[in-house]
Amino acid sequence: MKRYLLPVLLLIVSNIFMIIAWYGHLKFSEWKWFSKLGMFSIIVISWGLAFFEYCFQVPANKMGFSENGGPYSLWQLKVMQEVITLVVFAVFSVIAFKGETLRWNHLIGGVFLVLAVYFIFKK
């Protein structure tokens, strides 16, 4: 069970850092000190956060990949990662950006992604 679950958990943590690195600065700009930063500073902060993303992403893929003894194919890892990214993004945007609405077409798109996971995992 651990060998199936650990790569998924690592991908979730990785994607939390990724979403904060990519989109957090849009929310952090509300902080007085942060709003005064230039683009270069924001990029450096995002890179710092992305470092932690990689600290979880790389082991998740290494442990999860079937050719390294893991349970998942390369395709399965990639599609899982994309779905996890969108779920983490949806949660982040609903919590952090109250003005952004999760609409029915977003949910339908998510359903199609879950279907993609189903077909990628189908033997």
Side-chain angles (χ1 to χ4, degrees), residues 23-76:
Y23 300 101
H25 63 89
L26 300 173
K27 187 65 177 175
F28 302 154
S29 64
E30 295 174 3
W31 300 342
K32 193 173 191 176
W33 68 271
F34 196 91
S35 66
K36 295 178 182 178
L37 295 176
M39 185 61 70
F40 182 76
S41 297
I42 293 169
I43 290 168
V44 169
I45 290 168
S46 292
W47 274 358
L49 289 166
F51 168 77
F52 294 102
E53 172 203 347
Y54 279 77
C55 288
F56 292 95
Q57 179 80 18
V58 171
N61 286 327
K62 186 138 182 85
M63 284 185 251
F65 186 42
S66 59
E67 290 186 22
N68 290 334
Y72 304 113
S73 73
L74 187 63
W75 289 97
Q76 290 170 332

Side-chain angles (χ1 to χ4, degrees), residues 1-7:
M1 181 64 162
K2 178 181 172 183
R3 100 179 236 237
Y4 287 92
L5 192 57
L6 187 57

Side-chain angles (χ1 to χ4, degrees), residues 6 8 18 21-22 24 34 52 105 114:
L6 187 57
V8 175
M18 182 189 76
W22 285 14
F34 196 91
F52 294 102
N105 57 319
V114 170

Side-chain angles (χ1 to χ4, degrees), residues 76-115:
Q76 290 170 332
L77 281 168
K78 182 58 181 166
V79 172
M80 268 195 309
Q81 187 273 327
E82 293 300 332
V83 170
I84 290 168
T85 296
L86 285 170
V87 170
V88 170
F89 176 78
V91 170
F92 174 79
S93 64
V94 166
I95 291 171
F97 294 91
K98 303 289 187 216
E100 292 292 321
T101 307
L102 184 62
R103 296 191 305 254
W104 67 269
N105 57 319
H106 302 143
L107 295 173
I108 290 173
V111 168
F112 282 124
L113 286 168
V114 170
L115 286 171

